[in-house]
Amino acid sequence: MENMFRLMGSDEDFSDRRRSIWVNGPVIIGAGPSGLATAACLRDEGVPFVVLERAECIASLWQKRTYDRLKLHLPKKVCQLPKMPFPEDYPEYPTKRQFIDYLESYATRFNISPQFNECVESARYDKTSGLWRIKTSSSSAASGSEMEYICRWLVIDGLTTEFNGEVIHSCEYKSGEKYRGKRVLVVGCGNSGMEVSLDLANHDANPSMVVRSSVHVLPREVLGKSSFEITMMLMKWLPLWLVDKLLLILAWLILGNLTKYGLKRPKMGPMELKVKIRSGQVDIVPGIKRFSRNHVELVDGQILDLDAVVLATGYRSNVPSWLQESDMFSKNGFPKSPFPNAWKGKSGLYAAGFTRKGLAGASADAVNIAKDIGNVWREETKRVNKMRTRVGHRRCISVA
């Protein structure tokens, strides 16, 4: 643990016997890709930091709560974290295991050593001292210790039914092997929903996917080139409406007419809606009306018999459960300010990776946060050093 010392004689809550630790730099909550990227950029700025992680490993979401066939959905060069590209021998779309290996190498290269098994209970800004106070408890049964970290800056890395069958979130889904021959409803048609549906079909399950509204379905690659790269190139030279037209023509040429499968195209173009999804060999059904004991009733009156339900409905931030602040974050756990201003709040509070712009957005946040903190940290360090020099000079004169 770097640049920290114990504070003796805390002036509040004497019943709380936590050990207080001063951090001469920011505290980063979360050792996911966003937290690691921010730590690496801070290291490059020369700013000390501490990373708190409630799990016993980095990128716990990727390591423990993702399905086996997961791959990055965008080319590796737009998913790499700041200051370290992916290995050249990695494929264009790295696998889950390759991405985890990359993150572990990233942490090693920038000497990032998170404090594992540290579960944040609360974080509040003390207006009197102008400091953040983060209370944690150890999630390790062997330790059971409680800590309070005190710092100037804080960086945050970001069903109940009557159905009798199995209901899981996509983060618990690993492989379609256990669902072979079973009828499975996948709720959600984003990247996870599409990927899970395809995996179920490849394992001879019988998946149905809920698509409540119209969506654009684009191929991941066109003639060996990433659709994302092609789109970014076209947007440099052409207006948005024309880029949308060209993408829809390419999609029709490669995928054909998908309306016969129940996939309706929105009136607005794909770039305007920012929807990039991929189709699998699955049945498409409209929204859910209600679950009953062994089946689901859809809004159009259809009734489907089911063995399991997979919720590919995204992840929810738990920040509001412990952050005692209401200016920057809304109740849904995401910053109130829209992109590109969501990374910075008041009183030294920052958010990395909450822009819904993927790994590229997280990397941009990390760079901005590190530069912002670095500028202030260096100025304050210079001022403190000058004060120490003056005090030392006065002592020399006095002794003389």
Side-chain angles (χ1 to χ4, degrees), residues 135 152 168 210:
K135 293 184 177 181
R152 171 77 184 277
I168 65 170
V210 174

Side-chain angles (χ1 to χ4, degrees), residues 53-296:
E53 170 57 50
R54 65 179 177 179
E56 73 281 2
C57 61
I58 65 169
S60 61
L61 180 66
W62 282 84
Q63 299 213 47
K64 297 184 174 183
R65 309 193 71 184
T66 51
Y67 41 92
D68 295 339
R69 65 166 287 123
L70 178 65
K71 292 183 179 181
L72 296 183
H73 294 100
L74 293 176
K76 62 182 181 181
K77 71 178 182 180
V78 298
C79 294
Q80 64 191 27
L81 300 186
K83 308 183 186 303
M84 180 175 153
F86 281 97
E88 291 185 2
D89 60 345
Y90 271 30
E92 187 72 357
Y93 301 92
T95 65
K96 166 186 172 178
R97 183 66 257 171
Q98 288 172 326
F99 186 57
I100 293 172
D101 290 343
Y102 167 76
L103 293 178
E104 290 177 341
S105 298
Y106 191 85
T108 300
R109 175 172 175 176
F110 294 102
N111 192 25
I112 303 170
S113 301
Q115 302 300 305
F116 292 120
N117 298 307
E118 289 279 352
C119 183
V120 175
E121 294 183 351
S122 67
R124 71 175 183 85
Y125 182 70
D126 186 343
K127 293 182 180 180
T128 302
S129 63
L131 300 172
W132 283 92
R133 307 179 78 100
I134 304 104
K135 293 184 177 181
T136 70
S137 60
S138 176
S139 56
S140 171
S143 175
S145 62
E146 295 181 332
M147 307 283 284
E148 182 182 48
Y149 295 86
I150 301 174
C151 60
R152 171 77 184 277
W153 301 281
L154 177 62
V155 182
I156 302 173
D157 188 0
L159 174 76
T160 302
T161 72
E162 297 180 357
F163 182 62
N164 282 352
E166 180 183 6
V167 179
I168 65 170
H169 189 272
S170 59
C171 67
E172 302 171 84
Y173 180 91
K174 298 300 180 183
S175 170
E177 180 61 37
K178 65 180 290 188
Y179 301 103
R180 191 177 298 274
K182 293 184 177 182
R183 299 155 296 180
V184 183
L185 181 68
V186 179
V187 182
C189 62
N191 283 330
S192 294
M194 290 288 189
E195 197 89 59
V196 168
S197 298
L198 179 59
D199 189 56
L200 287 166
N202 289 342
H203 284 89
D204 297 324
N206 299 300
S208 296
M209 183 171 60
V210 174
V211 180
R212 291 184 296 177
S213 57
S214 54
V215 294
H216 283 296
V217 179
L218 302 176
R220 187 168 68 177
E221 294 181 341
V222 177
L223 300 176
K225 288 287 186 180
S226 163
S227 296
F228 179 82
E229 289 184 272
I230 293 174
T231 302
M232 293 300 100
M233 179 184 67
L234 292 174
M235 289 180 65
K236 291 181 179 179
W237 307 103
L238 302 175
L240 188 63
W241 67 268
L242 183 54
V243 174
D244 276 340
K245 290 287 186 183
L246 293 174
L247 288 176
L248 293 176
I249 292 173
L250 289 173
W252 183 83
L253 290 173
I254 295 172
L255 302 176
N257 183 5
L258 298 179
T259 56
K260 60 182 178 181
Y261 300 110
L263 292 171
K264 299 178 181 179
R265 193 179 72 188
K267 292 181 180 180
M268 289 187 291
M271 288 309 299
E272 199 169 351
L273 289 176
K274 298 179 182 178
V275 176
K276 288 179 172 60
I277 56 179
R278 190 181 181 188
S279 177
Q281 298 298 315
V282 298
D283 293 328
I284 305 300
V285 298
I288 297 170
K289 185 176 182 180
R290 67 171 64 91
F291 284 96
S292 60
R293 298 183 68 83
N294 292 302
H295 58 262
V296 62

Side-chain angles (χ1 to χ4, degrees), residues 334-394:
F334 286 84
K336 295 178 181 178
S337 299
F339 178 84
N341 302 313
W343 60 274
K344 185 177 181 179
K346 298 178 181 178
S347 306
L349 180 62
Y350 298 88
F354 285 85
T355 59
R356 304 178 192 266
K357 299 291 183 181
L359 292 168
S363 295
D365 288 344
V367 172
N368 289 331
I369 292 170
K371 286 183 177 179
D372 199 60
I373 294 176
N375 290 335
V376 178
W377 188 85
R378 281 189 293 272
E379 288 300 318
E380 291 189 352
T381 300
K382 289 179 182 178
R383 186 165 61 250
V384 170
N385 289 337
K386 285 182 180 179
M387 291 176 62
R388 288 174 178 171
T389 301
R390 289 174 183 172
V391 171
H393 181 65
R394 287 174 183 173

Side-chain angles (χ1 to χ4, degrees), residues 11-35:
D11 60 354
E12 64 174 81
D13 195 5
F14 290 97
S15 63
D16 192 339
R17 303 212 177 250
R18 298 171 191 267
R19 187 161 66 96
S20 295
I21 294 179
W22 165 255
V23 180
N24 185 27
V27 167
I28 302 171
I29 299 180
S34 301

